[in-house]
């Protein structure tokens, strides 16, 4: 009888995360922050001496979400910070790869997202309106990343992601940092948002 393939991952915290049935008790912010700080966006095809990590991207998306939704409660800002959190386990796949993998990728992402949300006091599924607002911030971030560090012209980036309001991003500049700094920044922002929720 063939042995079932292993569908869990051991985390640095010692937790064992079952990818087929993730539970909130097996999720730790330190594992998420560490993993995301070492996952490169743009398949690593960015300028600079450090990869542009998903953790750095998540911090930018949360900032942009706050700017586009200044009255949003901290719980939705936390949802923005955690919008790509499942990638600490499954990595950052570019859209063409996600399409090639098919619906299984989306189902896995949804299971992990629900467990992560529950772990940190968010509803398993956030409202569609909030998801759209986070997606808007995500697209603005993608435009900034494309033009500042991924070699896109503004015209090309605008074609794919839409041109953001110049005033919204005028003072924001992407700075590539070592993973340990990004990890620390991510966990600190997470703690601040959790504190604001109480």
């Amino acid at each position: 009888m063939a042995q079932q393939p292993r569908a869990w991952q051991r985390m640095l915290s010692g937790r064992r995360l079952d990818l087929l049935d993730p539970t909130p008790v097996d999720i730790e912010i330190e594992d998420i922050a560490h993993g995301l700080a070492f996952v490169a966006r743009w398949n690593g095809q960015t300028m600079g001496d450090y990869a542009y990590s998903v953790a750095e991207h998540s911090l930018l998306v949360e900032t942009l979400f706050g700017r586009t939704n200044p009255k949003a409660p901290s719980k939705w800002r936390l949802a923005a910070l955690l919008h790509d959190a499942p990638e600490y386990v499954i990595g950052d796949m570019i859209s063409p790869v996600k399409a090639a993998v098919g619906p299984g990728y989306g189902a896995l992402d949804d299971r992990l997202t629900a467990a992560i949300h529950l772990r940190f006091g968010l509803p398993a599924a956030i409202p569609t309106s909030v998801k759209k607002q986070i997606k808007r911030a995500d697209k603005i971030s993608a435009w900034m990343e494309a033009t500042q560090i991924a070699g896109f012209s503004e015209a090309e980036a605008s074609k794919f992601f839409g041109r953001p309001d110049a005033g919204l991003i005028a003072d924001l500049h992407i700075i590539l940092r070592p993973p340990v700094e990004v990890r620390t920044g991510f966990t600190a922002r997470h703690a601040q948002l959790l504190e604001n929720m109480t």
Side-chain angles (χ1 to χ4, degrees):
M1 188 162 139
Q3 185 178 4
Q4 289 292 324
R6 178 172 65 91
W8 56 268
Q9 180 175 350
R10 177 74 62 201
M11 298 295 161
L12 289 178
S13 64
R15 300 285 187 188
R16 189 174 111 159
L17 183 66
D18 183 341
L19 301 182
L20 299 178
D21 187 23
T23 62
V25 296
D26 290 323
I27 292 167
E28 299 293 343
I29 194 59
E30 292 79 10
D31 293 331
I32 293 172
H34 182 83
L36 294 184
F38 283 91
V39 174
R41 278 180 57 82
W42 301 93
N43 274 352
Q45 298 300 306
T46 52
M47 299 171 218
D49 293 330
Y50 299 103
Y52 182 69
S53 72
V54 175
E56 194 79 79
H57 161 77
S58 298
L59 286 163
L60 179 57
V61 168
E62 190 266 325
T63 297
L64 291 165
F65 176 82
R67 287 184 176 197
T68 55
N69 303 279
K71 293 183 180 178
S74 292
K75 69 179 180 178
W76 299 142
R77 290 190 73 144
L78 179 61
L81 181 70
L82 296 172
H83 79 284
D84 279 339
E87 293 179 9
Y88 87 109
V89 177
I90 56 180
D92 179 43
M93 288 192 206
I94 58 173
S95 296
V97 175
K98 288 179 186 176
V101 170
Y105 177 88
L108 175 58
D109 187 89
D110 290 345
R111 284 194 301 273
L112 286 165
T113 297
I116 291 164
H117 283 178
L118 292 172
R119 170 67 174 87
F120 300 115
L122 298 171
I126 61 174
T128 302
S129 60
V130 175
K131 266 183 132 168
K132 285 181 181 175
Q133 292 163 348
I134 293 171
K135 189 64 183 170
R136 178 178 175 224
D138 196 31
K139 287 184 106 173
I140 296 168
S141 174
W143 188 92
M144 291 177 63
E145 295 162 21
T147 58
Q148 290 184 29
I149 58 171
F152 285 58
S153 69
E154 288 193 5
E156 187 179 24
S158 298
K159 180 177 149 186
F160 290 112
F161 309 112
R163 182 180 293 275
D165 177 87
L168 183 71
I169 61 171
D171 62 331
L172 294 176
H173 304 283
I174 294 172
I175 298 170
L176 302 179
R177 302 183 287 168
V180 66
E181 286 183 28
V182 182
R183 180 180 66 201
T184 299
F186 187 94
T187 53
R189 185 60 181 148
H190 178 267
Q192 187 177 40
L193 289 168
L194 272 185
E195 188 176 322
N196 292 346
M197 284 169 59
T198 57

